[in-house]
Amino acid sequence: MRKDIENLEDIKVLVDTFYGRVQQNEFIGPIFESKLAGRWPEHLEKMYAFWETILLEEYTYRGKPFPPHAQLPVESEHFEEWKKVFNATVDELYEGKRAEEAKWRGERMAAMFLSKIQYFREANMKPLE
């Protein structure tokens, strides 16, 4: 039986495992690598804080998560792959209320990001930083 996400160490295991898989993914890995080459440790630290804030209500994340994603060359298929890898990673490592919340939040963020990316493309605009 797997345990639930309980602390920052659990978040780090989730984030490290997930992004390790993303980097190996032939479909979405190159997109991440094109933006994060040489800056993966910095990105992982941000993701630890982001998920710690969302799942543990420890307000360590300071930032705007959408703007860095606004100009990515992604479509709905990329978000579907992201969700597939994320949900599989959560399911493999954890089970419980927070694990389910992580997947639910991932689904919501993917939908929101895709919607906003499409909006800004169609309007030929960039979001405020």
Side-chain angles (χ1 to χ4, degrees), residues 70-121:
Q71 301 299 317
L72 291 178
V74 292
E75 303 295 337
S76 62
E77 303 85 37
H78 297 97
F79 284 97
E80 289 302 316
E81 184 69 11
W82 183 96
K83 291 186 304 184
K84 184 176 99 178
V85 174
F86 184 75
N87 290 342
T89 304
V90 173
D91 285 341
E92 179 184 313
L93 297 171
Y94 302 105
E95 67 180 353
K97 183 179 175 188
R98 286 191 181 127
E100 291 304 312
E101 181 180 356
K103 294 186 296 181
W104 183 83
R105 297 240 187 202
E107 294 277 340
R108 301 286 63 80
M109 282 185 285
M112 179 192 61
F113 278 22
L114 178 59
S115 176
K116 288 177 80 169
I117 287 169
Q118 290 171 334
Y119 170 81
F120 282 108
R121 279 184 191 157

Side-chain angles (χ1 to χ4, degrees), residues 6-72:
E6 298 173 351
N7 54 45
L8 180 57
E9 287 310 309
D10 294 339
I11 299 272
K12 287 181 177 183
V13 169
L14 173 60
V15 167
D16 290 346
T17 304
F18 170 66
Y19 282 105
R21 290 174 179 173
V22 163
Q23 290 178 60
Q24 300 302 314
N25 185 289
E26 293 179 8
F27 189 51
I28 60 176
I31 296 168
F32 279 84
E33 187 61 28
S34 73
K35 298 297 179 185
L36 296 173
R39 297 185 308 115
W40 278 101
E42 172 188 333
H43 180 69
L44 295 176
E45 288 294 327
K46 281 184 188 176
M47 294 301 93
Y48 302 152
F50 179 79
W51 286 105
E52 182 181 33
T53 297
I54 288 186
L55 297 176
L56 303 179
E57 296 183 9
E58 296 289 337
Y59 298 98
T60 56
Y61 178 76
R62 306 277 188 268
K64 297 177 182 177
F66 177 70
H69 299 83
Q71 301 299 317
L72 291 178

